[in-house]
């Protein structure tokens, strides 16, 4: 193993973690980590939260200090793209024209923000929020006297609106669906977050179709102009599978991988936002965009490359911070038949449990860490609970976990 070379394409959260896990697991071969962005691997979540509000500096975004790469003997090549994969020759071609052999290749190219196909969408006052450069652009445009229109009421859009308010800017959310978070949460959570944003002065245009972006705002299909000097397009992201597809790897919505994060080519792994991954607890596969999923897959790939046992399956989870509200979600609310509410929405501390056949499949917890942690364990253990006791906040989560549910 010591003479092997692992090439990692994409120096984001997943790619950077694969490099670190390989060294942690004792991999002694060479590691080349190639990233098209000009900065070492960093965390994206603060870009719409603490960093955007000015509560975190650039240093705190970094996944590891820059010195770690030299110390860990990771050959980090920034501002460099992997342009093509030759699977037969086991080489990649880089944007500087060179080619690099690999024994194992790890694809970690992440996702790209969707653009809005309407006139005016490429103007200077319109942007997306995916990279540190995007966040820098946005931050300079927020402050008292400014007005931000966010197209898309997903997590990134809602977080950006909350940060804009914290910086003194006005904010309006323009959403095509009848409620925010429509793709990722149920109506109870959607209504709750909308009400909390409204209480902070954010306005909403729901069921609103954008037809154009103009210098002074966003034009809707009903003819109205929603005034704004900055427009953030937050309509989701798509898996960056360009390289993988060109190399003939199996792709669905993302590169198809197994529980070792291995693609249809045994020498090539894929991790993070770009993958279509198995979710054994749910008997399905899907693409997840979350840091915990990227970390789990980085562990899977590094373990397989180092010949270690496959790590235990994890319950998927995610978080979002808006104002003083900490939302933590575990599991996936697919095909559920029962919704159990626990806690007090009015007091901004509650949890929504989604059950199927009496078993908790997902929990959405707002300022309710015990419910999140207990819910996550209930999901993993797949034990049936009594919905009445689950709804009763005086019954400790521990009792439910102990099977006294
Ligand atoms: C604003 C924002 C807020 C978020 N908040 C949360 C949150 O609160 N909680 C949470 O769990 N998740 C959050 N996420 C999602 C989380 O950041 C992603 O799931 C995570 O970054 C995925 O890591 P990744 O390495 O797969 O992709 P990325 O971090 O996107 O990294 C991919 C990297 O590969 C590079 N690349 C692409 N193609 C090539 C190529 N051909 N050659 C070289 N390099 C290439 C890209 O430039 C990029 O740097 C958020 C994301 C955003 C954008």
């Amino acid at each position: 193993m010591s003479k092997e070379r692992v090439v990692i394409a994409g120096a984001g959260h997943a790619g950077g973690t694969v490099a670190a896990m390989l060294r942690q697991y004792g991999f002694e071969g060479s590691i080349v980590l190639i990233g098209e962005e000009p900065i070492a691997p960093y965390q994206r979540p603060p870009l719409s939260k603490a960093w955007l509000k000015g509560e975190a500096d650039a240093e705190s975004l970094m996944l590891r200090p820059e010195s770690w790469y030299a110390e860990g003997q990771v050959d980090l090549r920034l501002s460099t793209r992997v342009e093509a994969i030759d699977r037969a020759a086991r080489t990649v071609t880089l944007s500087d024209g060179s080619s690099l052999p690999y024994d194992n290749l790890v694809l970690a190219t992440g996702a790209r923000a969707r653009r809005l196909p309407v006139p005016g969408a490429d103007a200077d006052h319109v942007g997306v929020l995916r990279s540190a450069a995007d966040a820098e652009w946005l931050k300079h445009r927020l402050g008292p006297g400014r007005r931000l229109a966010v197209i898309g009421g997903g997590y990134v859009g809602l977080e950006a609106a909350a940060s804009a308010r914290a910086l003194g800017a006005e904010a309006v959310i323009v959403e095509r669906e009848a409620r925010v978070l429509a793709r990722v949460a149920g109506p109870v959570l959607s209504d709750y977050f909308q009400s909390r944003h409204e209480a902070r002065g954010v306005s909403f245009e729901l069921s609103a179709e954008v037809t154009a972006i103009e210098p002074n705002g966003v034009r809707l299909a009903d003819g109205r102009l929603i005034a704004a000097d900055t427009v953030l397009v937050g309509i989701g992201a798509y898996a960056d599978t360009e390289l993988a597809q060109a190399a003939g790897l199996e792709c669905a919505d993302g590169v198809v991988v197994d529980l070792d994060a291995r693609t249809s080519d045994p020498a090539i792994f894929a991790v993070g936002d770009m993958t279509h991954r198995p979710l054994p607890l749910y008997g399905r596969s899907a693409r997840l965009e979350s840091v915990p999923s990227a970390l789990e897959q980085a562990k899977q790939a590094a373990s397989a490359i180092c010949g270690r046992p496959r790590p235990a399956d994890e319950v998927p989870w995610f978080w979002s911070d808006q104002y003083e509200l900490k939302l933590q979600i575990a599991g996936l609310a697919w095909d559920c038949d029962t919704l159990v509410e626990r806690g007090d929405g009015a007091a901004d501390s509650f949890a929504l449990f989604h059950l199927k056949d009496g078993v908790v499949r997902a929990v959405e917890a707002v300022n309710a860490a015990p419910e999140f942690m207990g819910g996550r364990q209930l999901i993993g253990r797949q034990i049936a609970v009594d919905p009445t006791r689950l709804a009763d906040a005086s019954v400790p989560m521990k009792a439910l976990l102990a099977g006294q549910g």
Side-chain angles (χ1 to χ4, degrees), residues 89-168:
R90 292 202 179 179
T91 58
V92 291
T93 308
L94 306 186
S95 49
D96 62 10
S98 63
S99 92
L100 201 60
Y102 64 80
D103 296 292
N104 282 123
L105 173 65
V106 182
L107 299 176
T109 51
R112 306 256 168 199
R114 285 185 197 285
R115 308 276 163 164
L116 201 62
V118 299
D122 53 1
D124 289 346
H125 67 303
V126 187
V128 294
L129 183 47
R130 179 78 204 172
S131 66
D134 297 334
E136 191 79 44
W137 166 85
L138 182 59
K139 193 175 190 171
H140 288 298
R141 302 187 64 95
L142 298 178
R146 308 300 301 250
R147 187 166 155 88
L148 173 71
V150 181
I151 302 177
Y155 287 119
V156 169
L158 291 178
E159 287 173 355
S163 298
R165 293 299 295 140
L167 291 168

Side-chain angles (χ1 to χ4, degrees), residues 37-338:
E37 290 188 71
I39 41 179
Y42 62 93
Q43 313 173 60
R44 290 175 206 278
L47 298 181
S48 49
K49 311 177 182 76
W51 186 88
L52 192 55
K53 285 188 283 182
E55 292 169 0
D57 60 11
E59 192 88 341
S60 69
L61 293 182
M62 305 316 287
L63 216 52
R64 287 186 172 70
E66 211 151 339
S67 58
W68 180 87
Y69 298 91
E71 285 158 16
Q73 295 187 324
V74 172
D75 180 358
L76 176 62
R77 303 193 192 176
L78 299 175
S79 304
T80 307
R81 268 182 68 78
V82 175
E83 299 285 6
I85 306 166
D86 183 335
R87 286 168 56 191
R90 292 202 179 179
T91 58
V92 291
T93 308
L94 306 186
S95 49
D96 62 10
S98 63
S99 92
L100 201 60
Y102 64 80
D103 296 292
N104 282 123
L105 173 65
V106 182
L107 299 176
T109 51
R112 306 256 168 199
R114 285 185 197 285
R115 308 276 163 164
L116 201 62
V118 299
D122 53 1
D124 289 346
H125 67 303
V126 187
V128 294
L129 183 47
R130 179 78 204 172
S131 66
D134 297 334
E136 191 79 44
W137 166 85
L138 182 59
K139 193 175 190 171
H140 288 298
R141 302 187 64 95
L142 298 178
R146 308 300 301 250
R147 187 166 155 88
L148 173 71
V150 181
I151 302 177
Y155 287 119
V156 169
L158 291 178
E159 287 173 355
S163 298
R165 293 299 295 140
L167 291 168
E170 288 180 47
V172 54
I173 306 255
V174 181
E175 166 60 56
R176 192 169 58 180
E177 303 295 327
R179 60 183 175 93
V180 296
L181 302 175
R183 220 168 31 92
V184 288
V188 176
L189 206 64
S190 298
D191 291 350
Y192 171 79
F193 273 103
Q194 183 179 339
S195 74
R196 290 305 176 267
H197 277 271
E198 282 170 340
R200 300 300 185 111
V202 176
S203 52
F204 288 81
E205 294 291 339
L206 301 176
S207 307
E209 188 76 36
V210 174
T211 54
I213 299 175
E214 300 181 8
N216 298 326
V218 175
R219 183 68 66 185
L220 302 185
D222 65 10
R224 284 180 303 140
L225 182 76
I226 306 302
D229 53 51
T230 299
V231 180
L232 178 65
V233 178
I235 56 171
Y238 60 92
D240 185 343
T241 55
E242 211 180 307
L243 273 177
Q245 268 178 315
L249 297 175
E250 188 189 347
C251 294
D253 169 27
V255 181
V256 175
V257 292
D258 64 14
L259 285 172
D260 292 321
R262 205 185 291 267
T263 68
S264 51
D265 179 332
I268 305 180
F269 295 80
V271 290
D273 283 10
M274 67 170 305
T275 64
H276 185 88
R277 52 159 298 170
L279 293 157
L281 260 177
Y282 296 86
R284 280 207 221 173
S285 50
R287 193 168 80 77
L288 300 183
E289 283 177 25
S290 77
V291 166
S293 175
L295 299 181
E296 184 188 13
Q297 289 186 298
K299 246 186 273 170
Q300 292 171 346
S303 298
I305 292 170
C306 294
R308 288 167 63 101
R310 178 183 288 171
D313 292 339
E314 293 174 19
V315 175
W317 68 278
F318 182 81
W319 77 93
S320 174
D321 298 320
Q322 296 163 46
Y323 312 108
E324 70 292 339
L325 309 172
K326 179 153 211 71
L327 170 69
Q328 294 168 295
I329 300 177
L332 298 153
W334 289 335
D335 311 324
C336 289
D337 49 43
T338 308

Side-chain angles (χ1 to χ4, degrees), residues 337-338 355-360 383-387:
D337 49 43
T338 308
L355 280 65
K356 185 184 180 193
D357 302 327
V359 174
V360 178
I383 46 173
V385 288
D386 172 358

